Structure formats: structure tokens, C-alpha cells
Amino acid sequence: MTKRLRKTAVLLIALSLIFGVSLNVYATSLENKLNDAEAEAQSIKSDKAAAESKLDSLNSKLSELNDSIADTQNKIQVKLEEIDQAEADLIQAMLEEQSQKKAMTLRIKYMYENDNPSILALLMESKDMGDFLNKTEYVESLSTYDREMLIQYQNTLLEIEAKKADLESEYENLLELQAKLEKDQAEVEQLVAEQESVIAELEAQLGEANDKIASLKNQIAAYNAQKASQNKQYSNSGSSSGTSGNYRPSDAGGSVVSGTGQFTNPCPGGYLSSGFGYRTFDNSFHKGIDLACPTGTPVYAADSGTVIISGFSVSAGNWIVISHGNGIVTKYMHNSALYVSAGQTVSKGQNIAAVGNTGYSFGSHCHFQVEVNGTAVNPYNYL
């Protein structure tokens, strides 16, 4: 092995270790995020259960209030009927009293209109029943029966009036109770509405948390499946410093140069699926651009230079790294086939690989990366 190839082998081993550590960090990050999301979901579930318990209690109280209001309304109706009956009884008692008074007066008039007109005049000047009865004490010949009947009617009248007053007082108390119950009902209904709003918000939060958990689980499952595939590919690839099992230089096509920039487009058959810079979906900084296209689409050297890596990486899959001098390096990742080897000189637009989905990749595409003195820069500045 030449000195240059030994350096390439060492570099590849170092890069593999770096990518391996990076993937482990990424996997740990996913697990931590999943644990946090599940803890958050459990906390929301607890809050939701407590809110639902409170809502059940409020609904139970509201049901009791509704029953109390219905019962009070029934009592009010009954009380109104009792008051109506008391008023009817009072009117009847007043009529009977007046009838008895009239009959008694006629008898007194008959008895005394000839014998003692002055007594008759005295009785006729009575202001009310009590006054009338008091004055009849002076009438020695007044029928005992008439007097007893008048007293009975007067007592009945007083009893009915007292009963009516009590019924009206009870009716007012029931109205006050109904007003209080309705006020309590309105307050509890407001609390129920607020609690239902809280539960709806918690359900929305729980839905978001569950979606997040599902997404993280899918990412972890995809990572594990990809890692298993990568490990299998890596174990079958021999050495990362050598050429991979997909190295088929005879399958390379002709050169293609496109664009007016310093570099030619490495994959003119693809479209931009992920740009350079920070990405929200995986919370990472994307150091290159992804050009999505079917597996087998040609990949071309962005510029002439020397291939320093052509092999397999756990993260980058089948990849190629080309040095163009002056600290400028280009990288081509996730290929399905490699058409050049380490140490080989390539020309601008030369077909160096075929697009694939190897390494840490989701979907067939070419990851194209440009570095200046070891720092990734936006490739579109050169295309």
C-alpha cells in the first residue's frame, strides 16, 4: 500500500468513527426526546383525568341543583293552588258572615222596631262585626244561636286570613329559594363550561404529544432499520479505504457539464428536496443540499480534482470525496454505485457515481456538499 493510500485509509477510519459517534448522539437525542414526550403525555393525561373528575363532580352538583329547582317549582305550584283555595275559602266565609249578619239584623229589626227604636238605631250604626257584637250585648232578647253563629263565622274568617298570610309567606320563601338555586345553577354551568374548555385543550395537547411520540418512534424505528442495513453493508464492504462492492467503473456514462458557475451541477437530473442550513424536522444543520431523483441517476464531478475517498461510510453510505485544490473539497453521498477509486484524477462533469439510498438516508437522492478549508458552505454559491 502506498503512503497516499495509507493516509486515505486512516482518514476513512477516522471519519467512520466520527460518523458513528454522531449517529449514536443522534439516536440518544431521539430517545431523550421520546422519553420527554412520553413524560409530557403522561402529565397531560393526569391533568386531564383530574379535570374530568372535577367535571363529573360539577355535573353531579348541577344535576342535584336541577332536581332541587324542579322540586321547588312543584312546591311553588302547589303553594299557589293552596293560596287560591284559601282565597276562595275566605271569600265564602265573608259571604256566609254577611248572610248571617243580615239575617240577624232582620230578626233584631223585627223584634225591636216597634218596642225600642233607639236600640235598633244603635245596632245599625255598628262600624264592624266586633262593634256589632259588643253592642248586641245590650240587646237582652238577642237569640243565643245568632250570636254563637256570628262568633263562629268571625273566628273562621280570622283563621282563613291567618292561613292565607302564612301561605303567602311560604310562597315568598319558595320564590327566594328558587332564585338562589337558579343563581347557583348558572354559576355551576359556567364552571362546567370552563372545565369542558380545559379538557378540550388538554385533549388537543395530548393529541399533539401522541403525534410527537409516534413521529419519534417512527424516526427511531427508521434509524434502527437503517443502522442495521448500514452495518450489514459495512460488514460486506471490506474496508472503507478500499473500493466498495458497488465499485463498477465500467458502468460509468459520459461526462456532462451544466450551468455557468465554477462547478457543474453534480446531479442535473434531480430536484432540491432539502437545502443548505438549519432544518426543523430533525433539529440539525444540513451541511449540503439533497438532490432527489431515482436510484441509478448519474452523479457528476463538480470540478476536476483528485479522489481522496471512494468507499462506504455508515452515515454517508457509498460516497466519494474529491479535492479540487486551494482547500476546496466536494462530497457526494448515498450512492448506489461508484465509478472512480481513491487516488484517481477526475475531470469536471465526469460520471463518478450513480444516485442511491445507502447510509443514513431516507429516500433516493444525492447529497452534495462543498467545504472550504474544512468548513461547509452553501453549494449554490458555486453552481
Side-chain angles (χ1 to χ4, degrees), residues 315-344:
S315 176
N318 294 320
W319 70 322
I320 292 172
V321 180
I322 300 175
S323 172
H324 304 284
N326 298 319
I328 299 176
V329 171
T330 55
K331 298 178 179 180
Y332 313 78
M333 303 180 185
H334 311 304
N335 302 290
S336 61
L338 306 176
Y339 303 145
V340 294
S341 60
Q344 182 178 337

Side-chain angles (χ1 to χ4, degrees), residues 3 8 11 21 33 75 126 198 202 296 331 360:
K3 183 177 182 182
T8 300
L11 178 60
V21 171
K33 288 179 180 179
K75 289 180 179 179
S126 299
V198 169
L202 288 171
K331 298 178 179 180
Y360 190 68

Side-chain angles (χ1 to χ4, degrees), residues 154-201:
Q154 185 183 40
N155 290 337
T156 299
L157 185 65
L158 292 174
E159 289 175 1
I160 294 174
E161 288 178 339
K163 180 179 179 181
K164 178 174 177 289
D166 290 341
L167 290 171
E168 289 175 342
S169 176
E170 292 172 3
Y171 173 74
E172 292 298 327
N173 291 337
L174 286 171
L175 288 180
E176 291 178 2
L177 175 60
Q178 182 183 25
K180 180 180 182 302
L181 290 172
E182 289 175 344
K183 180 182 178 182
D184 292 343
Q185 180 191 47
E187 292 175 352
V188 174
E189 286 176 344
Q190 178 63 29
L191 291 174
V192 167
E194 292 174 357
Q195 203 63 20
E196 288 175 341
S197 178
V198 169
I199 291 173
E201 176 63 25

Side-chain angles (χ1 to χ4, degrees), residues 28-216:
T28 301
S29 175
L30 285 178
E31 292 290 348
N32 290 338
K33 288 179 180 179
L34 178 60
N35 291 336
D36 291 342
E38 289 177 337
E40 180 183 7
Q42 187 59 45
S43 176
I44 294 173
K45 286 181 182 177
S46 298
D47 292 343
K48 182 171 176 286
E52 288 173 338
S53 176
K54 185 176 180 180
L55 179 61
D56 289 341
S57 177
L58 288 171
N59 281 327
S60 177
K61 183 176 181 180
L62 184 60
S63 179
E64 292 175 1
L65 285 170
N66 290 335
D67 291 342
S68 296
I69 289 173
D71 181 62
T72 301
Q73 289 174 340
N74 290 335
K75 289 180 179 179
I76 288 174
Q77 184 61 37
V78 171
K79 198 60 62 178
L80 285 173
E81 293 173 359
E82 290 177 351
I83 291 173
D84 288 343
Q85 185 60 48
E87 288 177 342
D89 293 344
L90 181 62
I91 291 172
Q92 184 62 33
M94 292 173 68
L95 291 174
E96 291 176 357
E97 180 194 45
Q98 292 298 321
S99 177
Q100 179 65 17
K101 181 180 178 182
K102 184 177 180 181
M104 181 178 173
T105 300
L106 288 175
R107 282 193 290 273
I108 292 172
K109 181 179 180 181
Y110 176 78
M111 292 171 60
Y112 293 100
E113 62 182 354
N114 296 321
D115 298 337
N116 197 340
S118 61
I119 292 177
L120 180 61
L122 177 65
L123 293 175
M124 294 303 102
E125 293 173 355
S126 299
K127 297 178 181 180
D128 53 34
M129 179 58 66
D131 188 27
F132 181 83
L133 288 174
N134 289 333
K135 289 177 179 179
T136 57
E137 291 178 356
Y138 297 100
V139 184
E140 296 178 356
S141 300
L142 181 64
S143 168
T144 301
Y145 172 79
D146 286 334
R147 179 173 178 79
E148 288 177 351
M149 288 302 297
L150 282 173
I151 293 173
Q152 179 180 336
Y153 285 131
Q154 185 183 40
N155 290 337
T156 299
L157 185 65
L158 292 174
E159 289 175 1
I160 294 174
E161 288 178 339
K163 180 179 179 181
K164 178 174 177 289
D166 290 341
L167 290 171
E168 289 175 342
S169 176
E170 292 172 3
Y171 173 74
E172 292 298 327
N173 291 337
L174 286 171
L175 288 180
E176 291 178 2
L177 175 60
Q178 182 183 25
K180 180 180 182 302
L181 290 172
E182 289 175 344
K183 180 182 178 182
D184 292 343
Q185 180 191 47
E187 292 175 352
V188 174
E189 286 176 344
Q190 178 63 29
L191 291 174
V192 167
E194 292 174 357
Q195 203 63 20
E196 288 175 341
S197 178
V198 169
I199 291 173
E201 176 63 25
L202 288 171
E203 286 177 344
Q205 293 179 12
L206 185 58
E208 292 176 358
N210 287 333
D211 289 344
K212 186 176 181 180
I213 289 171
S215 175
L216 288 168

